[in-house]
Amino acid sequence: MIAEGKTVKFYTVGRKGRAVLNRLFPKSFVHSIEPGDLGKLKFADARGYADDLIARYEAGEFDVAHLFYSHFKSVLTQEPTEQQIIPVAPSSVPEGTPASTAAPAAVIYEPDEEAILADLLPRNVAIQLYRAMRENAASEQGSKMTAMDNATRNAGDLIKRLSIQYNRARQAAITTELVEIISGAEAL
């Protein structure tokens, strides 16, 4: 985005992303939140962050907000993901849908569309933020499990190697003592 000549500002939740981005783009920070353990955040926390983002959007501080997070695929795999959350990107029609069935139908809303959207859009942003925080927390736990499993396996391998080395040294000492005893007995 910067290469395209756009102004980029960062609003971060958490430590890891902030540390890297602050090093690379120190003058581009709008706001940074360090809530502690992302796994313990509640939906109310995400709602507060969403309300702050929406207030900044309505104040004209930015035009588009993109959400970046680690998508949890498995314990071994976390995939970096980007998603536009403000304004809500229009959903595309699934492939293979005939154009005639994709046309919008006339629907009457009660209350009116503006009131529904005014309520749903902030909830959508909050839900997307909460989901991203949950995905990040799951990815972090998966990474920790993998690291601990690797550390346990490496420690086991190290114990085996050291045991073999110790046994060889002990056997060499015993063999040396036996050779000395036998040599002493022959000398008498």
Side-chain angles (χ1 to χ4, degrees):
M1 292 178 159
I2 292 173
E4 295 172 3
K6 297 179 181 177
T7 302
V8 176
K9 299 290 181 182
F10 298 103
Y11 186 108
T12 62
V13 177
R15 293 187 320 259
K16 297 292 183 184
R18 180 181 52 92
V20 173
L21 292 172
N22 194 27
R23 192 172 349 109
L24 296 174
F25 308 101
K27 297 178 183 174
S28 297
F29 270 86
V30 172
H31 192 61
S32 179
I33 301 166
E34 193 171 320
D37 187 2
L38 287 178
K40 295 182 179 177
L41 290 176
K42 306 284 186 236
F43 181 72
D45 299 321
R47 183 65 189 243
Y49 305 151
D51 290 343
D52 185 37
L53 275 175
I54 290 169
R56 290 172 186 268
Y57 176 73
E58 290 173 348
E61 291 185 28
F62 61 89
D63 299 330
V64 178
H66 293 270
L67 177 64
F68 295 89
Y69 61 96
S70 294
H71 176 69
F72 179 78
K73 290 219 173 250
S74 71
V75 174
L76 296 173
T77 308
Q78 298 85 33
E79 181 178 280
T81 304
E82 178 269 332
Q83 172 184 358
Q84 180 177 325
I85 56 172
I86 300 175
V88 176
S91 62
S92 60
V93 177
E95 289 185 30
T97 305
S100 61
T101 61
V107 178
I108 299 173
Y109 292 100
E110 186 64 35
D112 64 341
E113 293 176 12
E114 288 81 19
I116 292 173
L117 287 177
D119 186 47
L120 288 181
L121 292 179
R123 283 187 193 188
N124 179 44
V125 172
I127 288 169
Q128 296 304 323
L129 287 175
Y130 187 64
R131 183 175 64 83
M133 290 188 300
R134 288 276 147 227
E135 293 271 353
N136 273 345
S139 296
E140 179 185 10
Q141 292 300 319
S143 294
K144 285 180 178 179
M145 285 175 52
T146 302
M148 291 304 294
D149 185 48
N150 287 338
T152 302
R153 189 177 306 117
N154 290 340
D157 292 345
L158 183 62
I159 288 170
K160 286 179 186 174
R161 280 192 306 242
L162 290 175
S163 294
I164 290 171
Q165 189 177 22
Y166 170 75
N167 288 337
R168 285 183 181 158
R170 188 172 56 96
Q171 287 173 349
I174 292 170
T175 303
T176 303
E177 287 178 16
L178 288 174
V179 167
E180 290 175 356
I181 292 171
I182 293 172
S183 298
E186 286 180 6
L188 290 176

